[in-house]
Structure formats: structure tokens, C-alpha cells
Amino acid sequence: MGAPNAELIPEAELAELYGQPAEGRYDYAATEGNPQLIDQIVAYQARLSRHIDPERVLVTTGGMQGLDIAFKLMVDPGDLVIVESPTYTNGIATALSYQGQILEAPVDDDGLVVEALPGLVEAAGKIPKVIYVIPNFQNPSGRTMSEARRLKLIELAEHWDAFIIDDDPYGALRFAGENVPGFDELSPENHRIVSVRTFSKVLAPGLRVGWIELDPALRTLAISAKQSMDTCTNAPLQQLVADYLAQGRLESHLETLRSVYAERKQAMVQALQRTFDDQVETTDPEGGFFLWLTLRGRYAKINTEELFPLALEFGVAYIPGPAFADSGAFTDALRLCFATSTPARIELGVQRLHDALEAMLKRGAAV
Amino acid sequence: MGAPNAELIPEAELAELYGQPAEGRYDYAATEGNPQLIDQIVAYQARLSRHIDPERVLVTTGGMQGLDIAFKLMVDPGDLVIVESPTYTNGIATALSYQGQILEAPVDDDGLVVEALPGLVEAAGKIPKVIYVIPNFQNPSGRTMSEARRLKLIELAEHWDAFIIDDDPYGALRFAGENVPGFDELSPENHRIVSVRTFSKVLAPGLRVGWIELDPALRTLAISAKQSMDTCTNAPLQQLVADYLAQGRLESHLETLRSVYAERKQAMVQALQRTFDDQVETTDPEGGFFLWLTLRGRYAKINTEELFPLALEFGVAYIPGPAFADSGAFTDALRLCFATSTPARIELGVQRLHDALEAMLKRGAAV
């Protein structure tokens, strides 16, 4: 799932905050969200990047519901949805649940290859309704989209009259390199951009508290949609997140996460290089949770879905590449999560992956 | 909204339970729900009515998400959805969000007039895909469907190959009269019946914890659907509800609620009779939260939507009848909630409603 692991969740602080009295803690919240939480989200965003109008914020039941609302509002059966390939499994699933038609577009080290889109759209024979992107430390590849491509994508969305769903769960978890301005900074209050955010990766996923920033007219529709999806996001944990943010605790927590994840990513990249040399190719993320590994050389013919049960036997888990594309591509690739294990466990895991790959080769030779 | 009011929520007990350590409290939960909670739901249902197979239970983000999942799985654009008229506003909204075609069917003192359905279906020119009912202490009418009609509806669903969405948030809140067996008791494990349940009305609405009971094959689809709706229901409050149930606290809490709501309903019915005599007609619910009031005699021409702002000026609130029908019917009716106010406040509210109606008549005479 890519959840922060338990020792990186400030459980004691959260329990202490929950222990304090809160008026109406268990009542329904407003469908658009607890107003204190909305204010705290605005203040948090202002510290991270830019001031946003609270009238553009809707609290959601995690980032996943943000995506669900966005796709529900925008996608009618047969509408073309451009996605990165590979991309987040549940992002595709949500678009498909509204009978969108998925168009997979390639990703390289500068993120979505925006230059390829006009040709792909022409071949598809219809213009897209939605372009779904994870611009920072993308799930699963760990790659970040360049500023030039973001600007170009905003132009293309304008040209096609399409929406950009800007899904950014990891943006605050940059631990190396230079910050790249977000879609919301490059084109503030652009009615074609829906920004999907969550506290899952920076605080705790079990809370199911996230938000979307969107055009006020679209927000009115989104509130109606959410009203008949889950009425409101759970009230006690909205209050808990609001209280946690109000005390200014998230920034120092983010500092901790960044330094821990930097160390873990480094440990994983080094272990992979030492163990595999050029028999695998990996991305080198500057933030987030994930790294993308492609099998090369002796391993190039191994199918990562077939490898999976064997890897489990060897005591290491990953997500096989085909999970991240509706087309079933990426049979030679897999996603590793560096965020949830200590450097020592990461080194052990890489060694186990190596042993599983070698066992797979032997098995292949024996057939 | 029809929420239990704050003094009837066991806040201190819940805070105490939350203060106790819980392994993995803030992690993602399984999409189908915390297994401890599922076990407690099975045990709770067994105490209330019958044993259910845990493989038929899916935890949802409140009863609303239960409805959303059910309609999402069952309704394609243009599919016919039979609903009670009047019915729960967000039930209609959810069906409409999947482009269902709504067919409103009448309700009398024995609930949905099932005998009328074949004629209505013939007139509609297509058979229904879903029949959406709130069998106990219906929102908004407070009426309960008779056993004979429930049995007949199960037969009709079989005949039409349709699903019954059995939405029962209030069933455990019977404070008078004889229990009527539920759809799930009359036809256990019928794959056409999806039972939607919630802790919102018996514990606290802000938790957003509910569940659906459904056929295991359908549940597999429902888990996939939920996966790309909100990944899982919030984990800490699932654990909290599981702990609360494990301690056997809900049954005594239900006893308290039933006796308080019985007293309040009585206070409201008596105040209405005393104040209005035969100038209004009301239902006399044996449980739940709501009572349905229809204007008669001198008041019969008053539109309850037009009355609403005046009522607010007089310090009394209600939901106007047309909110409960897609057709905009019931302009002479309104829903009152007896559950959330003390008897003294209820008497005051009825007096204010009377004063608002009289002021409306004077205003009409002056025009």
C-alpha cells in the first residue's frame, strides 16, 4: 500500500489531542469539511507553497475519495482519460468505474512525456476529457515531472478543453534536489486543474483525511456528489488533524520523515547497485516512497508477476509492474517501497530479491 | 440530518477506549473492514436477530457509502429504480448519480404499497433493476412495512430479477409495537437482497462506520468498488466501534435510546394533537427518529417550502416534504425529528410551528 510505518506516526501526540474535549466531536461534519480543518489546510498550504481560498477546498475521505469525486464529476462513459504509464492502480480503477476509456502515455525521467500526447490523441481519434498525473515522486516510478512539461501540459489541457487531475500525495516529502512548482502554482485558480491532496503519506493513512482544491463552481457540484457518497468525512479525525496542524506539529514531523526517507532511499539505491550492478535499472527518486526497477541483462526475460510467489518464499515483497498499467505492460519491472523499512531491512530485502531472481533463472534453466 | 444529539452519545466511554493502546491504529485497514469489527458486527447481529456469515459483511464509510456502493454496482444509465415516495433524499440522489431512472411508489401506514408496483412497472414500460426501501420507521415518514408486504416484495424482486436495497438505519430503535422480521430474516442469504446498516443512529453519525450484508460474489465486486472509492473506512474509529461492541456496551446504550425516544415521540404526538386537533395529520412511529406531518383543513393550502423561512423566524425547523421526492410532491407535508430534543423543547417547537402556520394564514389573507 505504501503506508508510512508505525514508528513514523506520532501516535502519542495524536492520542493526547484526542483526549482533549471537543465540542460536537461525534456529530456529522459539514459535507465540505470541518471549518477549522479547512482553515488549517489553507495555513499549511500557505507555508508549503501558496495561499489558497478556503472556498476552493473540500475535505475528502483520503486522497482516494478526491480522485473518485473528480472522476465521477468529469467522466461519462466513453470519455478519454490520459494516464501515465505506469501509474497508480486505483487511479485507473476509478476512471474505469465511470467507464472512461484509458489512454496510456509514456513516462521518462522528466515525468509524463507531454510531447507524445498530441500524436497519441490523434491516433485515439478523440480529444481527452481528463489528464490524470502524479507530478511528484510518481507512484510507482518515483519520477518527477519537469516544470517545462507541466507548463506544456497546462497549454494542452486548455487546447483540448480537458481537466488535469493533479494527484500529489508525496509533494511535501522532497528530501533531495530542487523543488518544482506545482500545477497550482504555475497556473493558480485555473478551473481546469483539480488538485488532490491527502494526509495519508505525511501523517497517517488510516485517518482517511485528505482534500481537493478546485474551482468554486465545480466544488459546489463536488459537495453534492460527496453528500450522496459518504455524507461527510469522519468528524473526530478531521478534528484531530485540525488540532495537530493548529499546534504547528506537522512541519517538524515532515522534517523527520524527509531525513528518514532520504537515508532509506540512499540505502536502497546503494544496495541495488552493489548487488545488481547493471543487471537492473532503477529510478533515483528525490522524494516520496517508491523506486521503479526494470530487469536487464540476465534477468531481462523474467516476468515479475511469475517471480512474485517465489520472492515471497524468499521473504521479500514488491508490486509487479503490470499492476500499474491497464494494458498489462511492464512485465519486466516492479515497484519497491523504500519508506517503510530500516536501512538494514532494506539491504536484506535487496539480497533476498537477488536470491529470488537467481532461483528463478535456475528454475528456468531446469525446465 | 437526524443525528442523535450529543447528550445521547457515550463520549466519555469512547474517549476512554480511544486512550487505550491499539496496534496499527493509524494504518490502512483492510478494504473489507477491520476483522475484529466484522466479528463484532456478526455477534451484534446475532443478538439482534440472526447469525450472518462474516464473508457476507463489508464495512462501509457510514450507511451512505453502503447505498453508494450498492447503486454503483447495480445501476447503469437508464435502469429503473423503484423508491418509496416520500423517501430519503440522498438515496434518490445516489441512484440519480448513476443515471438511474426513478419510479416513485406510494407509501401508506403499512409501508410501501407493494400491490401498486406491478401496475406502475407496466406503465413505466420496463422492469426495475433495483427496489430501494427503508422498511423500519422510514425516513421521512416514520412508517414500517408490514411482513406480508415484505414477503410480497421479495417475490416481485424474484419475478423481475431485481435487487432489493434494504436500508435499515433505525431498526434497532423500536420502542413500541411488535418487531417485524427483516428482509434478511424472511429470506436469509438471498442474493437479491443487499442490507445496508450503520452505527450512525445507534452510536454516533460522525464516526462514519456502517456495513452492508450481501452475497459473497457481489461482495467481491463491492470490495473492488470500495477500493477505488476511499481505499478503506477510517481505521481508528473502526477499532473504536469494535472495542465498544466487544465490551457489550451497545445493548444497554440502545435501551437508553429507546426509552428516551419513546418519551420524546409521545411528547411530540400529544403536543401535535393538543395544538392542532384535526388540522394536521401525523404518522405515529413505533421507533426511529421521524414523524411525518400533513397539513389539513385551514392549513391544507400552505406550501411547506414557502412556510420554511417563516418557521425559522419563529424558531422552529423541519424538512419540507418536497425534499423527499424527486417529483417535488408533498408540498403540504413536512418531516419532524422527535429524537433530538427534550419533551419541553418539543412542546415549544410545536407551539412555534402553530404560530408560524397562523402567521402564514394571516399573510395569505393580507395579500
Side-chain angles (χ1 to χ4, degrees), chain B residues 120 220 272 365:
Chain B
L120 289 169
T220 302
L272 288 167

Side-chain angles (χ1 to χ4, degrees), chain A residues 22-58:
Chain A
E23 178 78 17
R25 170 176 280 154
Y26 294 102
D27 290 352
Y28 284 110
T31 300
E32 63 270 26
N34 175 326
Q36 290 173 51
L37 178 58
I38 292 178
D39 286 348
Q40 289 301 326
I41 286 170
V42 168
Y44 169 63
Q45 278 283 30
R47 292 190 297 268
L48 277 183
S49 57
R50 59 177 263 273
H51 176 77
I52 52 179
D53 179 351
E55 293 297 314
R56 296 174 51 86
V57 175
L58 169 64

Side-chain angles (χ1 to χ4, degrees), chain B residues 41 53 80 95 112 116 128 137 139 141 229-230 243 267 282 311 337 357:
Chain B
I41 286 169
D53 180 350
L80 195 66
L112 176 68
F137 327 123
N139 179 7
S141 75
M229 289 163 93
D230 66 357
D243 292 345
T282 74
C337 177
L357 283 162

Side-chain angles (χ1 to χ4, degrees), chain A residues 64-84:
Chain A
M64 189 69 244
Q65 191 187 52
L67 294 179
D68 194 29
I69 290 174
F71 281 116
K72 189 169 189 175
L73 289 181
M74 293 167 190
V75 174
D76 285 317
D79 281 348
L80 194 66
V81 177
I82 295 180
V83 303
E84 294 159 315

Side-chain angles (χ1 to χ4, degrees), chain A residues 127-164:
Chain A
I127 59 171
K129 188 76 171 289
V130 172
I131 305 157
Y132 168 58
V133 285
I134 307 167
N136 294 312
F137 328 123
Q138 197 236 17
N139 179 4
S141 74
R143 285 160 175 150
T144 293
M145 195 174 176
S146 69
E147 181 172 345
R149 284 187 173 167
R150 295 179 192 210
L151 287 165
K152 181 68 188 164
L153 189 64
I154 292 167
E155 272 175 37
L156 282 174
E158 174 83 23
H159 175 67
W160 286 321
D161 195 18
F163 288 100
I164 296 173

